[in-house]
Structures are given as structure tokens and as C-alpha cells.
Amino acid sequence: MKRRVAILISGRGSNMVALIEAAKAENFPAEIVVVISNRADAAGLAKASASGIPTIVIESKPFGKDRAGFEARLQRALDEKNVELICLGGFMRLFTAEFVQRWYGRMLNIHPSLLPCFPGLDPHGQALKAGVKISGATVHFVIPETDAGPIVVQGAVVVADDDTPETLAARVIQIEHQIYPEALRLLAAGRLTLEGDVCKTAGNAASDGTLISPRQVSATSASVKEIPPG
Ligand code: GAR
């Protein structure tokens, strides 16, 4: 039996599309049964409808600071669809600790940085300011703290010296579209185990994959000062 999944969005919904596409495969262990947006103007809603996925809009604005009120309405919609797992895809609304606790271990989020680095707003700007040479994206279980929680899958890209937040975001989003379906596949197939703050994956073998950035620095470049080993 496929696990029943709701995707929650607030905007463009490109990760939502990646999840919907992946779930079309016959052997994918989850099905997307509903897309819920907290904004009526979310562009992702039309994309979900075009894929034949039912959509629901629950505007969060009228609830103001009444998070529990919004969540009660959301929970009703999830119950009506017998939702078992939730994927947040650019869902820009914070949850109460109670809602997060209720869905702990069953709710995933994606964030465009290698968490725990650069949570919150403008992660690509934060990464460039920090001068990291490798960045990426993270799918994690949701906990009350924003953009934190047991890490399920990460994917990395190298950062170029001339990257802007926009060029970096354009490469990272490609990674996001690969790792989110993979994370949902692992969760829905029952291959994830939570050990405290750490998520373990059944059948996860050590790999020798290595990413070094910058990979080649010209030894003849005048601006490069070689550091002798040892
Ligand atoms: C994605 O880059 C996602 O990682 C990010 O919002 C974007 C939504 O794009 N989420 C966060 O920053 C969460 N803190 P999408 O609507 O095209 O999937």
C-alpha cells in the first residue's frame, strides 16, 4: 500500500512538481493525495491541478497570530484525506510545537543549504557571505526549531567565486529536485530510523564519493601562495 502524502506549499511549487513526478512511478512507495496552500495566489496550485492532484487553499492570513486555529483547520483537511505523511515545499508558515509533535517523524522539509549551516532567510546570501566552497540542500524531519531536525538526505554543489545568490540558487534547486523525492521514497518505504537527533537509513553503505572545491588551483598563479605540507 502506498503511503498517502500531502504537500504543503506557499509559492512556486517546483519541489512539489518534482515530488508529483516521482510519485507517478508505479514502484514509488507514496502517492500525493492533496496539495494544500496557505496562499490563494501560490503559483504551484495551478501546476498541481494540471497534474490532476486535488488542491485545497487554507488562507493563513485571516488567522493572524492564531496558529492553533489555522492548524486545526489544516488538520481537518489532512484527516479528511487520510494523510499519513507531509512534505513541506517552500511552505512559509511556522507551526506550533503541538502540531510539529503530532507529526514528528512523519513531516519532511527541504531547505537550500547544507544544514545546520544557514537556516532561515537568504541561505544563498548567507553561504556566499561566509565564503563556503561547497553548499547544497537538505531534506530533514521537522522539529519546532526552523530549518532544523534530523537530516534525511543532503546534496552538494560547488560554489564559484563569481556566484551570486541567484546563480547559486539555480544550481541548488536542481539538487533539491533530486533529493526530495529520494527522501520521501526512503521515508515511505520505512527505511528511516530516528535515533535521537540522528536519522539512520537502512541499507546505507559507506561510499567513497568526495567533493573538493576548489578542485584545481594553478600552482603558477602569482596570487596563490603555496603552503608546504607538514
Ligand atoms: C526551495 O528552494 C526550498 O528549499 C525553500 O523554498 C524554495 C521553494 O521553492 N525552502 C526554504 O527556504 C525553507 N526554509 P519551490 O516552491 O519552487 O519548491
Side-chain angles (χ1 to χ4, degrees):
M1 276 286 271
K2 293 189 179 224
R3 309 298 302 278
R4 296 174 63 82
V5 177
I7 305 176
L8 272 52
I9 63 168
S10 300
R12 177 178 64 174
S14 74
N15 278 291
M16 173 205 76
V17 170
L19 291 167
I20 290 173
E21 287 302 314
K24 283 181 181 167
E26 208 166 312
N27 62 356
F28 197 83
E31 60 178 321
I32 313 304
V33 296
V34 66
V35 167
I36 302 176
S37 173
N38 67 323
R39 298 182 54 132
D41 61 357
L45 286 168
K47 298 176 193 169
S49 298
S51 295
I53 309 290
T55 62
I56 298 174
V57 174
I58 306 171
E59 286 274 12
S60 53
K61 219 172 189 175
F63 288 93
K65 287 198 164 72
D66 179 16
R67 291 189 194 285
F70 169 75
E71 288 165 3
R73 175 71 194 80
L74 174 61
Q75 185 62 50
R76 259 206 320 278
L78 296 167
D79 288 343
E80 278 161 17
K81 293 280 180 188
N82 294 316
V83 168
E84 301 173 274
L85 305 173
I86 296 176
C87 290
L88 306 180
F91 185 71
M92 297 304 182
R93 169 109 185 161
L94 300 176
F95 291 116
T96 63
E98 289 73 26
F99 187 85
V100 170
Q101 197 50 46
R102 179 179 218 166
W103 284 93
Y104 182 66
R106 299 185 295 146
M107 178 157 62
L108 298 175
N109 180 46
I110 189 159
H111 182 75
S113 74
L114 292 176
L115 293 174
C117 286
F118 318 132
L121 296 176
D122 191 22
H124 302 301
Q126 292 186 59
L128 293 176
K129 195 160 174 232
V132 295
K133 305 305 178 207
I134 294 171
S135 193
T138 304
V139 180
H140 62 95
F141 283 108
V142 176
I143 62 172
E145 202 182 322
T146 306
D147 299 326
I151 291 169
V152 180
V153 183
Q154 291 186 305
V157 299
V158 300
V159 179
D161 283 352
D162 61 356
D163 260 327
T164 63
E166 292 73 28
T167 60
L168 182 55
R171 288 203 307 290
V172 170
I173 195 83
Q174 313 280 341
I175 298 288
E176 295 186 48
H177 297 163
Q178 293 176 52
I179 66 173
Y180 213 168
E182 176 60 11
L184 176 58
R185 191 176 66 78
L186 292 169
L187 175 61
R191 289 180 54 193
L192 302 178
T193 314
L194 285 168
E195 293 180 11
D197 293 339
V198 174
C199 173
K200 299 271 174 79
T201 309
N204 185 9
S207 94
D208 57 2
T210 303
L211 186 57
I212 295 174
S213 171
R215 186 66 201 178
Q216 279 178 334
V217 176
S218 166
T220 55
S221 163
S223 61
V224 175
K225 189 166 169 250
E226 284 203 19
I227 301 167

